[in-house]
Amino acid sequence: MTVNVLTINAVDLQQLLEEKKTTSAHIVETYLAQIHRYEPALNALISPAPRDQVLKIAEARDDERQKGQIRGPFHGIPIILKDSFVTASELGMSTTAGSHAFVGARASKNGAITQRLIDAGMIILGKANMTEFAGMKMTMMMPGWSAHGGQTLSPYVGKIEDDEKILGHSAPGGSSTGSAVAVAAGFSPLAMATETVGSIVTPSTRAGLYALKPTPGAQDTTGLYTMTEFFDSPGPMAKSAADVRVLCEILLGRLFTSPQLGSWQGLLVGFLDPKTWSLSPDLCPQLEEEYEETISALRNGGCALKYPVQCSDPSALPTTILPIAYWDFRNLCIPQFICCFDECPVTSVADIVEFNRKNSEKALPAPFIEQNDLEGAMVATEEKHQIDKLKQDLRSAARAILDDLFDKENINVLVAPGDSSLCVHAAAAGYPVATVPIGQLRYNGRPFGLCLVAKADEEKTLLRFMAVYEKVAKPRPVPTF
């Protein structure tokens, strides 16, 4: 059976498998053909799975299905992982976090989340390109660029405009760009990403996807590169709310189905003003117009909402994100990442900095010739007790702002434009954040959407909103090649 890889989602694929209308091997071949055709133009993958090997795995999942041995709700469904998820070397894919310094590192076992997905019967098609070290290299590095993987491009926009800003309208946006582009371009129905501050939300919004960053600390991140322990969390990207929900059930080990899943009952949603919560003032007329059209559609569809609600912007927070990131990166995250490998060319941040200096032609190519953030992390002088205090103060300040708004307005979901700084509040507070699509910019076709925040461990609330939103909203934008 022929499927349209640009539109079909994982839940529908699973239905076809259950009805014996297709096989996992056929599905994988279909996605591999799409990758073969368009990957050279988009550069979304840093390490594709070997064709013969991944087809053999798909055939094994088909054999299990025939015997009634179903591992999970997405048994035999393909997925792409950001290059921060450690995969055992025997799978034929590297794990580098986009850095040449980790080329040649070998792991004998999968990371915890990688293994969880495999145990659930999922098939890893490849590793997605990412902003090198999720941005912890050079301050003004373009999202979706790594020295090892090059620049990932949007399937909607194509070439990044000359002299584009990091969050300009042709930029694919966020360190998980490869994962988002892979799903939007039909390379896989699903992808795994990670977010520190905006790295799931921004690229998903700009690829017309549904996505969710669960509460930081809710998952076992052993065998996963993260920039920080404090802010980071891995999460799914997909073409539908249902796909995100099922993958979250696999990741978090709990069910999110309920009688209220398809209704607005019990939800009260607050919308921030796009005039003050948008990073795109030069295109504000269209963004504001469609943002307000979406609010009207939700209200007419039965959503109880308040608009506009007022919230302090991130300037009200302590300016401590960078020192926290530097400390966690150097003292926790890089050492833990290195420990995932049986063989690794580097042993510390200082080693990475030195490797880049000695191999500057490939590790520091123009225009991204600096490594000021790596150097900043290497020489930061704060002690652990100082960083612990900064973390406590930042989290308390962010939660005070958001909790006051949730309580004062009696809302349980807070919404802003996808291209906004609301993800900063969410990261600082340690709250889950999600995104849903709205439409496309008229002048270049880039998608845009909404950013949603709920309180800690309230993934179910966000998933409920996403599920009902999808029924009311316009269809997500599909790229035209």
Side-chain angles (χ1 to χ4, degrees):
M1 180 176 181
T2 303
V3 299
N4 184 344
V5 292
L6 293 175
T7 57
I8 196 162
N9 61 42
V11 168
D12 290 340
L13 285 172
Q14 188 60 256
Q15 183 69 28
L16 293 176
L17 287 168
E18 290 172 2
E19 294 172 354
K20 295 182 170 50
K21 293 181 178 177
T22 190
T23 64
S24 292
H26 178 69
I27 290 171
V28 166
E29 284 183 329
T30 303
Y31 283 107
L32 291 178
Q34 182 78 350
I35 291 169
H36 178 75
R37 188 173 183 185
Y38 294 112
E39 166 59 13
L42 299 177
N43 208 36
L45 302 182
I46 201 167
S47 182
R51 178 183 176 85
D52 291 346
Q53 195 163 342
V54 76
L55 283 172
K56 187 175 180 181
I57 292 169
E59 289 165 359
R61 297 295 85 80
D62 285 331
D63 288 343
E64 289 172 349
R65 180 177 294 279
Q66 285 186 335
K67 296 172 184 175
Q69 299 168 354
I70 305 299
R71 300 187 182 198
F74 278 161
H75 180 102
I77 298 294
I79 190 167
I80 283 171
L81 309 184
K82 186 177 180 177
D83 193 38
S84 47
F85 291 82
V86 174
T87 46
S89 297
E90 66 179 15
L91 293 179
M93 296 169 282
S94 60
T95 309
T96 68
S99 171
H100 276 294
F102 282 87
V103 173
R106 295 188 60 79
S108 59
K109 64 179 184 178
N110 296 307
I113 291 173
T114 303
Q115 192 61 50
R116 191 176 188 90
L117 297 170
I118 291 171
D119 290 345
M122 303 192 72
I123 303 165
I124 302 169
L125 286 185
K127 309 290 280 297
N129 193 23
M130 58 184 281
T131 313
E132 190 166 344
F133 290 126
M136 184 55 80
K137 184 184 184 184
M138 174 183 167
T139 302
M140 299 307 291
M141 193 162 58
M142 180 60 68
W145 181 88
S146 68
H148 180 39
Q151 179 66 58
T152 299
L153 300 178
S154 164
Y156 299 88
V157 180
K159 181 180 179 293
I160 296 173
E161 294 176 8
D162 294 338
D163 301 318
E164 182 63 283
K165 299 173 183 177
I166 283 178
L167 287 178
H169 300 303
S170 66
S175 77
S176 303
T177 293
S179 297
V181 168
V183 176
F187 295 175
S188 172
L190 302 165
M192 283 297 299
T194 67
E195 172 162 327
T196 306
V197 183
S199 288
I200 289 177
V201 170
T202 307
S204 294
T205 297
R206 290 167 176 242
L209 302 179
Y210 292 81
L212 190 145
K213 174 194 181 184
T215 305
Q219 301 170 77
D220 182 355
T221 56
T222 304
L224 172 69
Y225 166 75
T226 54
M227 185 198 294
T228 77
E229 185 178 68
F230 186 67
F231 300 111
D232 287 43
S233 182
M237 296 174 167
K239 295 186 181 74
S240 75
D243 282 8
V244 174
R245 175 181 58 79
V246 175
L247 196 45
C248 278
E249 290 177 346
I250 294 169
L251 294 167
L252 299 176
R254 62 184 195 264
L255 296 177
F256 293 106
T257 52
S258 72
Q260 292 83 29
L261 184 63
S263 79
W264 294 115
Q265 183 182 350
L267 291 177
L268 181 56
V269 185
F271 284 80
L272 294 167
D273 190 339
K275 294 186 183 68
T276 53
W277 285 85
S278 176
L279 301 179
S280 307
D282 52 326
L283 286 182
C284 198
Q286 184 193 351
L287 295 177
E288 181 182 346
E289 172 191 327
E290 296 202 32
Y291 185 81
E292 294 193 344
E293 285 177 2
T294 300
I295 292 171
S296 295
L298 294 178
R299 185 181 278 124
N300 293 337
C303 176
L305 60 87
K306 294 185 177 183
Y307 171 68
V309 296
Q310 304 299 323
C311 180
S312 302
D313 68 36
S315 65
L317 296 172
T319 55
T320 54
I321 289 177
L322 195 57
I324 290 170
Y326 279 173
W327 196 92
D328 273 13
F329 176 80
R330 183 183 70 186
N331 296 288
L332 297 175
C333 298
I334 281 295
Q336 289 168 0
F337 186 53
I338 290 169
C339 283
C340 298
F341 301 103
D342 302 276
E343 302 172 24
C344 189
V346 292
T347 63
S348 66
V349 175
D351 274 4
I352 297 167
V353 170
E354 183 61 22
F355 175 93
N356 289 342
R357 286 175 182 159
K358 288 182 176 178
N359 301 275
S360 59
E361 187 174 329
K362 64 178 181 180
L364 299 170
F368 307 120
I369 61 174
E370 299 177 13
Q371 51 178 337
N372 60 301
D373 281 328
L374 283 173
E375 293 166 343
M378 183 177 69
V379 302
T381 58
E382 287 87 355
E383 300 290 335
K384 183 180 185 299
H385 71 276
Q386 294 173 297
I387 295 297
D388 287 344
K389 180 68 163 56
L390 295 182
K391 290 178 178 178
Q392 181 181 349
D393 290 348
L394 179 60
R395 184 133 295 171
S396 296
R399 289 195 172 187
I401 290 170
L402 290 178
D403 291 353
D404 178 66
L405 180 56
F406 282 125
D407 296 342
K408 181 177 68 177
E409 299 289 352
N410 196 33
I411 59 174
N412 45 20
V413 178
L414 180 63
V415 181
D419 281 346
S420 73
S421 54
L422 182 57
C423 58
V424 178
H425 277 324
Y431 284 174
V433 59
T435 185
V436 296
I438 290 181
Q440 293 174 273
L441 299 178
R442 296 186 187 106
Y443 94 96
N444 72 351
R446 176 179 70 78
F448 58 92
L450 301 177
C451 174
L452 332 166
V453 175
K455 288 188 177 183
D457 302 311
E458 283 296 319
E459 288 82 9
K460 188 172 188 174
T461 301
L462 295 177
L463 291 166
R464 282 190 56 205
F465 175 91
M466 294 164 76
V468 197
Y469 172 89
E470 191 173 21
K471 296 179 180 179
V472 177
K474 294 180 293 187
R476 57 170 296 275
V478 176
T480 54
F481 290 101

